[in-house]
Amino acid sequence: MFRLKGGEGMFFRRSKQKKVDKHQQMEEERSPLSSNLDKNIEKIRLLYEDCSDVVFRSFLIGGKVKAELIYIDGLSNMEEIDTSVLSPLMQKMVEKRSSPSNWMEEKLSVAKITEVNTVEECIENTLMGNPILLVEHESKGLALGLARAEKRAVEEPASESVVKGSREGFVETISVNIALIRRRIKSPQLKMKSMKIGRRSQTEVAVVYMKGLANETLIEEVNNRLQRIDIDGVLESQYIEELIEDHPSSPFPQILSTERPDSCAASLLEGKVVILVDGTPFAMITPTTFLALLQASEDYYQRFVLSTAIRWLRYVYLLLSLLLPSLYVAVLSFHQEMIPTKLMMSIATSRENVPFPAIVEALIMEITFEALREAGVRLPKQIGSAVSIVGALVIGQAAIQAGIVSPPMVMVVALTGIASFTIPRYNLGATLRVLRFPMMFLAGTLGILGVMLGILIILTHLCTLRSFGVPYLSPIAPWNKSAMKDVLIRAPWWQLSERPRLTGEFNQYRQGPNQKPGPRKGGE
Amino acid sequence: MRMMLYLIGLTCTFLLTGCWDQTEMSNTALIKAAGVDRIDDNTIELTVEIAVPQTQSQSGGQGQSQGSGGVTQVLIRSSKGKTIPDALEKLQEQLPRKIFWGHSEVIVINEKLAKEGIRDSIDYFIRDPRPRIRSYVFVAKESAKEIFSLKTPSYSPSEILWDIAESQTLMHVTLVDLLQRLVIGDVFLPMVEKLPPAKGKKSNETFAYIYGTAIFKKDKMIGSIDDELTRGVKWIQNDVKESNITFLPEGAKGYISMNLQEADVKLIPKIKGDKWELTIKTRTRAEIVLNETNIQVKSPKEINSLEKQLVKQWEGRLKRAVQKVQKEQKADILGFGEAFERKYPKKWRKVKDKWDDIYPQVEVKYDIDTTILRIGAGTATEAR
């Protein structure tokens, strides 16, 4: 075993070295464009060898000057290329030698144009969908902002639906996502820093924050952590999440993923930093606390009394989803005297024919439930209903009649399943569902003592966690009384005048004083 | 990797040590009630009522099965022994499952045994941590075995006893109450007996109910009082939330019934020289619930007169209870000693040993006042 360990370590080390070598290869010298058009084309063609989707279009500007338009089929707006680039340039009369910037101003009716000087820039721009215009005798090219990616329409967020509130959800295109946030915060203080992550995927990642609200050191920290990422490709925000977390091996999510632009905007206004990743309809919000994961956006869109009640319901079900099966197992195997006699009798009656001990019964049912849930998510929609029918039979009546499980256990499992879905963030619910299993083992071996032990371990772990420097359990630990307004209750907006305290304390107030409405306040 | 090893090690330790006191419910015999009888000088008989979590009836050996339409059936087993643990050991031999005390809620002690002293039999239930200390304790006129063997419809005999005790109509004493009382003074326990069976029924087709209170001097039973006196005692103990008094008003035909509410009874002790005095003070509100008389309870004058009569009636009841318990039985179950101890702790310490002599001499005074608050919801049926 130990030998194996040593061997593995060696293997990792070697592969690490390889990575570094490759990285050095990637950062080769950049070759500038020459004034010879054919040479430039040749270089680009060589890089784009066997790429049938790259189009090289040669034409003459005004019938005289040789030029080349390079773009990737499907990434650029073809109509725009025809009407705004090709036709005006081909009809243009070239009087004298003028620099591209000159005739660019005159003729090219394209909104966004940037100059490119190297072959690599050309490649980058074409890959982003910007057609490159190269002209004979020019050592500069033009990248035309005519990218047009196929994008999904803005739809209702599937994983965080609300009854009252915005129906817009993020899409896969980062520019749309940024616009969705910008639409909600129309302020020049809303800043975004864009960068490319992924050696090969070159995924665009944007760090969005409110200047003056977000702590400068926090922004710097986010940037630093993002910049040290060196990965092949970023296909989903989870890739980045796992690479910038404070505690990579913790089961608890330390970054909040949301599909809702309004949640993002709210977090930005609280001074948090949002990370958007191209190709992912989820934004990441940092720093995040445990309690923030229990706050749904709808809490703030409903009357505060109702929201407070729902929040408490959620807290109760949070505990249930973690503890209910283990408590049931513990009580049934060790502490039969702890439940009321009449309940005990009815449980005893129903368990009389069950051949397994409580812990085995609980494991069978919980695992079955998890399998059904997983199957329900993975299966094509057409077959999904079949799963639910079979599932209802398997973990329902049939299992009871077969004498494998007892009815109370089915109830416990069903309640636990429902409880885990009352948590607004799917990933936290999933974490608790996983932690339930060790808790059940502890309960089955040590009884209530084991359950308490498990709770203590989890609590201790939660206390050690930090998300970008913010204690995970804040504002409970460390205690902050004024923040309880948004934890124990959801105070009405006219009382939530202080921003939650994150890393620093500045720009404390988010609204004017005396916001409580009343019949005569308006006329005062 | 090292982490994995630690984890595996940790898991193993759980498996090694964890399950030592694990009991599966299908391996336990849940004792619902236990009864103790005296057989002869050296032998007691322990009878237990065991829940059988099955719908089919089961019978065998010495035990009888108790048919019931509810979720649980019970099985009665008894065994003899020198002491309760001794009998228990023999009982376990007869049972296929392990005895589990966690849900025993009723303890019945036979009168004969109670007269010898309950300390010995109660000791097991207190010393062993497994039985519940919130079980209700009863003294039975018949043998405990007989009480548990009754064929009761839909509930087992012990369930009926428990429910009656829980309703708090008469005395209800849990093991922990009993413990406290044993420490501070004299003890009382509810008395149960078999209700005479209805005509045409067999002698065991009935149930047991609480009919009075057994009075103990220290831990020995010295007598009993009936339900009426028990109510009086309960009043003085300030253990009544609501009660009815029915009496014949002066110069009227028919009865009048009143519901007494919000009674708060205080015992106010006073020591004047050698004279020990105690005032039973109470203020209460009454509500007329039945009026068979021709008194029209509308004018304040009539209500005043009724109030006075009610006070008299009530005082009479309390007096009878005090007379019986204090003067005749001389058992301090009314909490007089405690009241004196609280007010005069120093004096109490001096006379503590002589309290048995002082107690019957304590002069009891009554300070009772009552207000008739409501005369009833509808008065149309009143005689005119």
Side-chain angles (χ1 to χ4, degrees):
Chain A
M1 210 113 180
F2 279 104
R3 234 194 235 161
L4 195 78
K5 180 193 153 199
E8 262 180 19
M10 293 265 286
F11 175 73
F12 280 133
R13 225 169 293 143
R14 212 177 296 147
S15 63
K16 228 178 236 171
Q17 273 173 346
K18 262 187 198 167
K19 255 185 216 164
V20 174
D21 295 344
K22 265 188 193 167
H23 191 208
Q24 279 165 352
Q25 278 172 15
M26 289 293 291
E27 281 183 0
E28 61 205 305
E29 291 282 300
R30 305 200 137 210
S31 55
L33 289 170
S34 75
S35 52
N36 186 335
L37 180 64
D38 290 334
K39 252 190 191 168
N40 287 340
I41 292 170
E42 200 48 48
K43 272 184 192 165
I44 295 172
R45 260 189 205 282
L46 201 69
L47 287 169
Y48 274 138
E49 206 181 353
D50 288 341
C51 294
S52 57
D53 56 342
V54 182
V55 180
F56 290 85
R57 171 70 162 92
S58 310
F59 65 101
L60 295 174
I61 297 177
K64 283 174 189 162
V65 186
K66 262 175 81 180
E68 187 88 4
L69 190 70
I70 308 162
Y71 62 92
I72 295 177
D73 199 14
L75 290 190
S76 305
N77 193 333
M78 297 295 284
E79 277 173 38
E80 287 282 310
I81 292 174
D82 288 347
T83 55
S84 324
V85 184
L86 287 177
S87 65
L89 286 181
M90 284 163 117
Q91 285 157 20
K92 183 187 149 60
M93 298 307 290
V94 183
E95 283 121 27
K96 54 183 178 194
R97 279 186 69 126
S98 57
S99 72
S101 51
N102 282 3
W103 46 259
M104 181 183 95
E105 276 164 24
E106 287 167 27
K107 284 290 171 187
L108 280 179
S109 51
V110 176
K112 190 179 156 192
I113 291 179
T114 45
E115 274 189 9
V116 287
N117 295 313
T118 61
V119 175
E120 284 69 32
E121 274 180 292
C122 291
I123 298 288
E124 267 167 36
N125 273 295
T126 46
L127 286 173
M128 279 161 65
N130 297 333
I132 297 288
L133 183 64
L134 296 175
V135 185
E136 176 82 19
H137 306 307
E138 291 291 343
S139 58
K140 281 178 196 162
L142 291 178
L144 311 171
L146 294 175
R148 191 213 53 185
E150 288 302 325
K151 56 190 163 202
R152 191 161 63 92
V154 173
E155 283 169 16
E156 200 175 337
S159 64
E160 290 165 79
S161 48
V162 290
V163 176
K164 192 187 170 202
S166 147
R167 296 287 147 86
E168 283 180 333
F170 284 131
V171 294
E172 281 77 2
T173 321
I174 191 167
S175 56
V176 176
N177 293 349
I178 290 175
L180 283 173
I181 296 178
R182 177 72 81 180
R183 273 234 306 275
R184 282 171 174 76
I185 305 174
K186 298 181 186 71
S187 159
Q189 301 291 312
L190 178 70
K191 309 285 183 195
M192 46 212 70
K193 277 183 194 158
S194 195
M195 60 181 83
K196 295 250 177 349
I197 297 180
R199 238 187 274 153
R200 294 184 203 285
S201 70
Q202 290 291 311
T203 312
E204 193 178 345
V205 174
V207 179
V208 187
Y209 60 92
M210 290 295 288
K211 196 175 168 65
L213 297 186
N215 198 326
E216 291 295 332
T217 46
L218 171 68
I219 300 162
E220 205 184 305
E221 180 65 27
V222 173
N223 275 321
N224 287 345
R225 289 193 195 181
L226 285 174
Q227 263 149 18
R228 65 165 281 280
I229 295 176
D230 178 21
I231 189 174
D232 230 16
V234 177
L235 303 182
E236 219 280 343
S237 59
Q238 185 68 28
Y239 287 46
I240 291 186
E241 188 177 326
E242 285 183 14
L243 288 165
I244 61 171
E245 277 175 331
D246 292 49
H247 304 266
S249 45
S250 168
F252 285 92
Q254 296 142 53
I255 289 173
L256 193 152
S257 284
T258 180
E259 229 180 328
R260 303 187 58 86
D262 49 349
S263 298
C264 275
S267 302
L268 286 169
L269 291 174
E270 287 179 352
K272 293 180 181 171
V273 174
V274 171
I275 303 166
L276 294 167
V277 180
D278 195 26
T280 309
F282 283 93
M284 293 181 286
I285 298 172
T286 58
T288 291
T289 58
F290 185 71
L291 289 156
L293 291 166
L294 292 172
Q295 297 168 346
S297 56
E298 204 170 4
D299 287 0
Y300 301 94
Y301 305 155
Q302 283 171 336
R303 296 199 65 79
F304 69 92
V305 181
L306 181 67
S307 297
T308 304
I310 288 179
R311 215 164 249 192
W312 275 99
L313 183 86
R314 221 176 270 147
Y315 294 153
V316 170
Y317 272 75
L318 171 88
L319 290 179
L320 280 189
S321 77
L322 180 66
L323 298 177
L324 189 62
S326 43
L327 282 179
Y328 182 76
V329 167
V331 165
L332 242 58
S333 329
F334 291 93
H335 319 280
Q336 287 96 340
E337 66 281 353
M338 277 181 70
I339 43 177
T341 303
K342 280 184 179 152
L343 179 62
M344 190 67 213
M345 292 301 164
S346 70
I347 291 176
T349 309
S350 62
R351 273 190 57 78
E352 194 55 27
N353 294 322
V354 177
F356 306 113
I359 172 75
V360 176
E361 194 190 354
L363 282 176
I364 292 175
M365 288 308 284
E366 287 291 348
I367 291 170
T368 314
F369 175 79
E370 287 302 311
L372 279 168
R373 187 196 53 76
E374 181 64 16
V377 174
R378 286 319 137 218
L379 272 175
K381 280 204 178 76
Q382 293 87 334
I383 315 173
S385 60
V387 169
S388 56
I389 292 166
V390 173
L393 286 176
V394 167
I395 64 170
Q397 203 57 31
I400 295 168
Q401 279 175 357
I404 295 169
V405 291
S406 59
M409 186 46 102
V410 175
M411 228 194 92
V412 166
V413 171
L415 199 59
T416 317
I418 291 168
S420 75
F421 291 112
T422 57
I423 299 166
R425 307 292 163 197
Y426 179 78
N427 46 7
L428 182 63
T431 302
L432 291 175
R433 278 210 302 278
V434 171
L435 287 178
R436 201 155 79 197
F437 287 92
M439 290 297 280
M440 268 152 61
F441 272 115
L442 284 170
T445 51
L446 297 177
I448 292 284
L449 183 75
V451 177
M452 290 315 294
L453 193 69
I455 292 173
L456 281 179
I457 292 171
I458 291 173
L459 272 182
T460 318
H461 174 68
L462 284 175
C463 287
T464 60
L465 285 186
R466 269 158 193 276
S467 168
F468 283 82
V470 176
Y472 200 51
L473 281 185
S474 67
I476 292 174
W479 176 258
N480 181 357
K481 195 181 149 203
S482 71
M484 285 299 133
K485 277 187 208 164
D486 205 10
V487 172
L488 296 179
I489 55 169
R490 201 284 278 171
W493 271 111
W494 40 265
Q495 277 209 339
L496 289 173
S497 49
E498 272 178 53
R499 262 176 245 285
R501 215 164 86 183
L502 295 169
T503 44
E505 194 171 3
F506 63 99
N507 215 329
Q508 202 181 349
Y509 296 98
R510 60 174 148 199
Q511 59 195 19
N514 200 15
Q515 290 291 303
K516 187 177 178 181
R520 306 194 64 185
K521 287 231 168 143
E524 266 176 88
Chain B
M1 211 52 208
R2 180 157 292 178
M3 194 74 180
M4 278 302 284
L5 277 176
Y6 280 137
L7 265 178
I8 291 166
L10 206 68
T11 318
C12 287
T13 56
F14 285 140
L15 293 175
L16 287 171
T17 62
C19 306
W20 67 272
D21 67 342
Q22 185 189 5
T23 39
E24 274 307 317
M25 263 173 27
S26 42
N27 301 327
T28 53
L30 294 182
I31 292 184
K32 285 171 72 78
V36 196
D37 294 316
R38 169 65 76 200
I39 299 296
D40 56 46
D41 284 353
N42 286 323
T43 322
I44 55 131
E45 187 173 40
L46 178 75
T47 308
V48 292
E49 193 185 283
I50 297 163
V52 180
Q54 250 174 4
T55 35
Q56 292 92 16
S57 65
Q58 213 180 45
S59 64
Q62 197 183 346
Q64 299 141 286
S65 77
Q66 275 328 114
S68 77
V71 259
T72 50
Q73 291 180 308
V74 293
L75 191 72
I76 308 300
R77 293 281 161 103
S78 35
S79 70
K80 294 178 181 123
K82 290 188 277 296
T83 59
I84 294 176
D86 188 37
L88 257 182
E89 202 145 61
K90 286 180 182 144
L91 192 70
Q92 181 70 74
E93 292 164 9
Q94 303 171 19
L95 289 170
R97 297 175 173 196
K98 200 168 177 296
I99 286 174
F100 182 74
W101 276 105
H103 283 281
S104 76
E105 291 183 318
V106 169
I107 294 168
V108 177
I109 296 164
N110 179 243
E111 199 178 348
K112 211 170 136 193
L113 195 66
K115 281 181 174 152
E116 292 169 16
I118 51 167
R119 209 175 276 273
D120 301 341
S121 28
I122 289 296
D123 186 70
Y124 169 74
F125 296 106
I126 292 161
R127 208 172 283 277
D128 191 328
R130 287 170 295 179
R132 281 195 179 180
I133 56 164
R134 284 184 61 232
S135 327
Y136 284 115
V137 187
F138 304 90
V139 172
K141 215 172 180 184
E142 290 87 6
S143 74
K145 192 175 175 183
E146 203 180 332
I147 298 278
F148 288 143
S149 305
L150 294 174
K151 286 210 179 299
T152 48
S154 66
Y155 292 102
S156 76
S158 77
E159 277 169 355
I160 292 174
L161 280 180
W162 190 83
D163 281 342
I164 292 176
E166 189 80 337
S167 73
Q168 306 193 353
T169 321
L170 288 181
M171 285 301 173
H172 56 103
V173 179
T174 62
L175 209 49
V176 64
D177 294 339
L178 188 62
L179 281 183
Q180 287 167 352
R181 296 227 135 254
L182 270 174
V183 174
I184 58 170
D186 299 325
V187 178
F188 56 91
L189 286 174
M191 281 291 279
V192 296
E193 71 168 358
K194 218 161 77 166
L195 190 76
K199 255 187 192 174
K201 299 262 183 179
K202 283 182 211 153
S203 71
N204 64 349
E205 281 177 340
T206 177
F207 59 90
Y209 73 107
I210 301 172
Y211 76 98
T213 304
I215 309 291
F216 289 69
K217 188 75 193 161
K218 298 293 174 201
D219 72 320
K220 286 188 177 59
M221 180 172 161
I222 50 165
S224 63
I225 53 174
D226 64 2
D227 52 346
E228 177 118 11
L229 286 176
T230 301
R231 284 205 187 93
V233 170
K234 267 171 77 87
W235 274 110
I236 298 170
Q237 286 171 345
N238 198 11
D239 190 26
V240 177
K241 290 192 189 92
E242 211 183 309
S243 129
N244 277 316
I245 283 189
T246 301
F247 62 95
L248 210 60
E250 282 163 22
K253 270 190 241 165
Y255 289 99
I256 193 158
S257 286
M258 295 199 196
N259 196 351
L260 299 175
Q261 291 164 333
E262 297 175 35
D264 189 30
V265 181
K266 275 183 194 142
L267 302 180
I268 302 165
K270 205 172 183 183
I271 302 177
K272 272 189 207 157
D274 278 351
K275 207 175 154 204
W276 292 52
E277 219 179 81
L278 190 125
T279 311
I280 298 173
K281 185 184 173 183
T282 174
R283 298 281 175 272
T284 182
R285 291 174 181 179
E287 187 186 327
I288 298 173
V289 288
L290 177 127
N291 183 9
E292 287 180 350
T293 65
N294 51 4
I295 304 169
Q296 290 184 18
V297 279
K298 275 173 188 157
S299 69
K301 207 179 113 200
E302 272 158 355
I303 290 176
N304 253 333
S305 120
L306 276 178
E307 277 170 358
K308 273 181 195 142
Q309 292 179 52
L310 175 65
V311 166
K312 216 175 137 194
Q313 282 289 330
W314 196 13
E315 198 178 307
R317 284 194 177 196
L318 298 185
K319 268 184 179 160
R320 279 201 297 280
V322 170
Q323 172 69 23
K324 176 90 181 170
V325 174
Q326 188 202 9
K327 305 285 183 200
E328 289 176 26
Q329 293 174 329
K330 296 175 184 165
D332 181 17
I333 62 167
L334 299 168
F336 285 9
E338 205 186 331
F340 278 108
E341 187 184 358
R342 283 200 183 151
K343 188 146 184 202
Y344 304 101
K346 280 178 194 163
K347 277 191 183 165
W348 172 260
R349 244 171 273 152
K350 279 182 213 156
V351 300
K352 206 172 157 188
D353 301 331
K354 286 180 272 172
W355 174 244
D356 279 353
D357 304 329
I358 298 170
Y359 172 64
Q361 311 304 324
V362 173
E363 194 184 328
V364 182
K365 288 181 173 176
Y366 301 90
D367 176 7
I368 299 171
D369 195 25
T370 175
T371 315
I372 293 176
L373 199 68
R374 298 183 195 96
I375 56 165
T379 53
T381 49
E382 221 163 65
R384 275 171 229 281

